[in-house]
């Protein structure tokens, strides 16, 4: 059994992983905590793991720990990370705030926040770190406004996220403590909104049948998922690496929605994903997975499967159709996917429009990468204009 390559992919899939997508779509690896786990890379097999009810987010893995998303809750909890009817009923309520019409209503505010951040970047002068100037603060400002939480609490949110999303601790005491602290924060917020409602999602959810713990968990999940949109940076980096596609996009900004989908397909943020559990014996690509086994499907690898995508190694902003799996698949498709795509459109569109000479200030191969979290990404992205 091989150790899974937990060194960061740095925006690219290694040749060995690309080979495995075709020749070894299902294989057994060892996770950082020592557990054996089935690594699933082929497009068809990844879709099965993400959507088939025989694979659960909650369940006991071989070590007896909860083999779900990191620091998940036990079975019976109605959260967005649960499965089946409980998940579906909660998601129906939550999804109303993230439908296409609602997201378009947020666009002017996202554009205003983006302009404000870029004004500040210009004032500080060249070169600038795009991560600290735009990529990190924009999603934080957006999601904090939507939930009605002060962006000044971001330091606490980041500390909790670091523990919850650690690649070396799927269910560590530190991760559980961080999750409990985040839950308590939002329970306090829900109680405050009951006493004094505001113009935010938490207040809106109070008008639904959801309980206080359910609203608190929903808000915590939305915050965790919406705080970081690493595709802004990785998408721009990919454009810099493909000047012909960048020129096409500059010449015709109406290509932006399709370009965003291709950025999501092509870019690789992390070499890890959710660990799930097989509830019964399953055969995938001729490999027998036993009930109770841990399974990790990797959408970034599935996005390069030549059985699904013609010339998968080619970055083509006109690619259509483009059924990538970067925002999930099945019942757990990313709740805030439309919001995230809109933020990428606005952020990259504003950068290209405002800075015709925008360019990386260092070779993109020298860009520092962080690898301590599931949602890995660039540590810094120096740019000039």
């Amino acid at each position: 059994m091989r150790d899974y390559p937990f060194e960061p992919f740095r925006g690219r899939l290694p040749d060995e992983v690309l080979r495995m997508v075709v020749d070894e779509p299902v294989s057994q690896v060892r996770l950082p905590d020592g557990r054996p786990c089935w690594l699933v890379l082929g497009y068809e097999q990844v879709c099965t793991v993400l959507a088939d009810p025989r694979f659960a987010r909650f369940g006991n893995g071989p070590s007896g720990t909860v083999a779900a998303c990191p620091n998940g809750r036990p079975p019976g909890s109605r959260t967005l990370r649960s499965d089946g009817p409980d998940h579906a009923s909660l998601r129906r309520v939550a999804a109303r705030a993230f439908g296409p019409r609602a997201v378009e209503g947020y666009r002017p505010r996202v554009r205003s926040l983006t302009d404000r951040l870029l004004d500040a970047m210009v004032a500080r002068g060249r070169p600038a770190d795009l991560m600290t100037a735009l990529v990190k603060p924009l999603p934080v400002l957006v999601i904090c406004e939507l939930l009605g939480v002060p962006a000044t609490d971001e330091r606490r949110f980041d500390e909790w996220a670091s523990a919850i999303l650690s690649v070396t601790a799927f269910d560590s005491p530190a991760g559980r403590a961080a999750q409990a602290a985040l839950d308590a924060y939002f329970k306090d917020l829900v109680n405050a909104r009951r006493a004094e409602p505001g113009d935010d999602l938490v207040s809106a959810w109070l008008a639904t049948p959801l309980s206080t713990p359910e609203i608190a968990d929903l808000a915590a999940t939305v915050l965790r998922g919406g705080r970081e949109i690493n595709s802004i940076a990785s998408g721009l980096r990919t454009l810099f690496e493909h000047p012909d596609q960048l020129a096409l996009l500059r010449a015709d900004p109406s290509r932006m929605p399709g370009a965003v989908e291709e950025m999501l397909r092509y870019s690789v943020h992390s070499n890890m994903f959710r660990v799930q559990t097989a509830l019964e014996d399953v055969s995938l690509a001729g490999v027998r997975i036993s009930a109770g086994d841990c399974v990790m499907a990797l959408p970034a690898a599935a996005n390069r499967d030549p059985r699904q995508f013609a010339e998968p190694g080619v970055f083509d902003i006109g690619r259509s159709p483009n059924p990538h799996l970067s925002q999930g698949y099945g019942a757990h498709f990313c709740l805030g996917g439309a919001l995230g795509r809109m933020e990428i459109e606005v952020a990259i569109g504003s950068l290209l429009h405002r800075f015709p000479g925008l360019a990386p200030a260092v070779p993109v191969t020298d860009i520092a990468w962080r690898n301590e979290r599931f949602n890995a990404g660039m540590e810094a992205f120096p740019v000039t204009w």
Side-chain angles (χ1 to χ4, degrees):
M1 184 189 309
R2 65 166 67 90
D3 286 332
Y4 182 59
F6 290 102
E7 285 301 310
F9 286 171
R10 300 183 184 277
R12 298 176 180 81
L13 287 175
D15 291 341
E16 175 65 8
V17 175
L18 290 171
R19 179 198 65 77
M20 290 171 65
V21 170
V22 176
D23 299 336
E24 204 174 355
V26 180
S27 63
Q28 198 166 41
V29 297
R30 187 177 293 105
L31 295 176
D33 63 1
R35 283 184 294 164
C37 182
W38 292 103
L39 178 65
V40 180
L41 304 178
Y43 187 94
E44 179 182 350
Q45 293 78 30
V46 168
C47 288
T48 298
V49 172
L50 296 183
D52 193 310
R54 293 176 296 175
F55 296 94
R57 291 184 165 210
F58 291 96
N60 291 325
S63 67
T65 59
V66 174
C69 56
N71 308 301
R73 292 175 179 77
S77 299
R78 191 167 81 148
T79 78
L80 285 178
R81 294 175 301 287
S82 57
D83 292 305
D86 284 346
H87 167 264
S89 61
L90 188 61
R91 187 180 174 102
R92 277 194 296 271
V93 175
R96 297 168 192 164
F98 297 99
R101 181 173 297 181
V103 166
E104 280 306 303
Y106 305 146
R107 188 182 290 266
R109 181 56 179 158
V110 173
R111 184 174 290 114
S112 175
L113 290 170
T114 299
D115 289 342
R116 191 178 83 190
L117 291 168
L118 293 181
D119 287 344
M121 184 178 82
V122 170
R124 288 191 294 269
R126 299 170 290 185
D129 175 18
L130 199 62
M131 299 302 293
T132 57
L134 179 67
V135 176
K136 291 180 179 178
L138 177 62
V140 169
L141 292 171
V142 172
I143 206 65
C144 285
E145 282 196 10
L146 289 178
L147 291 173
V149 301
T152 51
D153 284 343
E154 166 60 13
R155 182 183 295 274
R156 282 199 285 174
F157 298 150
D158 195 61
E159 290 174 355
W160 293 331
S162 294
I164 294 168
L165 298 173
S166 169
V167 300
T168 58
F170 290 95
D171 191 35
S172 68
R176 292 194 297 272
Q179 184 65 63
L182 186 60
D183 290 344
Y185 176 96
F186 276 107
K187 286 177 183 175
D188 289 343
L189 180 67
V190 172
N191 291 329
R193 290 294 181 270
R194 286 193 189 279
E196 189 176 349
D199 184 20
D200 54 64
L201 290 182
V202 171
S203 298
W205 289 330
L206 286 171
T208 71
L210 298 181
S211 67
T212 292
E214 288 169 343
I215 295 174
D217 179 81
L218 178 56
T221 303
V222 168
L223 176 81
R224 250 195 358 243
R227 282 179 59 255
E228 299 183 48
I229 311 293
N230 289 318
S231 296
I232 295 173
S234 60
L236 188 64
R237 165 183 156 151
T238 301
L239 286 170
F240 285 149
E241 292 177 313
H242 298 84
D244 59 327
Q245 299 298 298
L246 175 58
L248 287 174
L249 186 57
R250 284 191 179 279
D252 184 3
S254 70
R255 289 176 171 263
M256 183 60 75
V260 169
E261 298 302 327
E262 181 69 344
M263 293 174 205
L264 289 169
R265 182 196 73 85
Y266 190 88
S267 301
V268 181
H269 308 128
S270 176
N271 57 342
M272 295 190 69
F273 200 63
R274 178 182 307 110
V275 178
Q276 297 179 248
T277 303
L279 299 182
E280 58 184 81
D281 293 353
V282 182
S283 178
L284 280 182
V287 175
R288 182 180 181 275
I289 296 173
S290 299
D293 285 358
C294 294
V295 182
M296 182 170 69
L298 197 63
N303 289 341
R304 298 297 182 89
D305 192 332
R307 291 162 294 206
Q308 181 65 38
F309 300 95
E311 298 184 288
V314 174
F315 178 68
D316 176 11
I317 65 171
R319 183 182 296 273
S320 180
N322 194 347
H324 65 78
L325 304 179
S326 295
Q327 293 181 319
Y329 182 79
H332 289 280
F333 184 84
C334 180
L335 178 67
L339 178 62
R341 292 195 300 274
M342 185 267 285
E343 289 183 43
I344 300 167
E345 285 184 29
V346 171
I348 294 182
S350 297
L351 283 164
L352 298 184
H353 174 75
R354 186 161 177 175
F355 306 105
L358 187 71
V362 299
V364 293
T365 53
D366 293 345
I367 292 175
W369 208 265
R370 80 177 182 202
N371 62 352
E372 75 280 3
R373 300 185 191 180
F374 271 72
N375 53 340
M378 300 178 200
E379 187 65 42
F381 191 172
V383 296
T384 189
W385 58 91

